[in-house]
Amino acid sequence: WGKPAAALLGALQAQLDYGVAAIGGKDSMSGSFESLDVPPTLVSFAVAIGSTGTILSPEFKHSGSRVALLSPVYRADGLPEAASERQLLEQVYALIAKKQVFAAYTPGAGGVLEAVFKMCLGNGLGFAFSDAVSEDDLFSPRLGAFVLELAPGFEAGELLGQTTATRVLTWRGERAELSELETAYDATL
């Protein structure tokens, strides 16, 4: 019972930290299904309301756009500090409401490189990373962070680079054709 109890306590702590309530959920603690071993899983979900004017899709919209990373403060275990994450969520929402952001995506365990790759796919744009972006910046998990395509003349967060019309990802002289990456990505599915 330790894992289910820990999962529920973690879910409760997240609700308290962010001032939200889960409206439902599903657990899978049985351990197996036919020939599959099912890891202990707890999924919860909630609903938010908002104006359609503040909802963005994640794909890059324009060539030549500056793209930035906005991150919360992280705890020693790599998770975002709740107060910092709440402040970041408010900041990103305000930027979107002011029409200063064209696209937004939240990187996960795959880091910034995965996020940028997926943002490129929707409209067939490429991306040129800034030389200031390190290899660690590309691959480190950024849970709770945001990659934002910014409107012209606006700056926020840490500059990652800019979108390009050529379907190529570039970083410090290295090039990767998006068509090849997309084929490999789709083939695994």
Side-chain angles (χ1 to χ4, degrees), residues 6-31:
L8 290 172
L9 288 173
L12 174 61
Q13 188 61 55
Q15 290 175 74
L16 294 171
D17 286 346
Y18 294 99
V20 296
I23 62 168
K26 175 70 178 123
D27 70 273
S28 177
M29 302 297 172
S30 63

Side-chain angles (χ1 to χ4, degrees), residues 74-94:
Y74 292 100
R75 304 182 322 201
D77 64 2
L79 295 176
E81 290 184 359
S84 174
E85 182 69 20
R86 282 194 313 270
Q87 184 179 23
L88 179 61
L89 291 168
E90 290 173 8
Q91 178 187 6
V92 170
Y93 180 80

Side-chain angles (χ1 to χ4, degrees), residues 17 33 40 50 52 60 69 72-73 83 93 96-97 115 139 146 169 173:
D17 286 346
F33 173 75
T52 57
F60 290 134
L69 175 69
V73 174
Y93 180 80
I96 292 170
F139 295 103
F146 288 86
L169 290 177

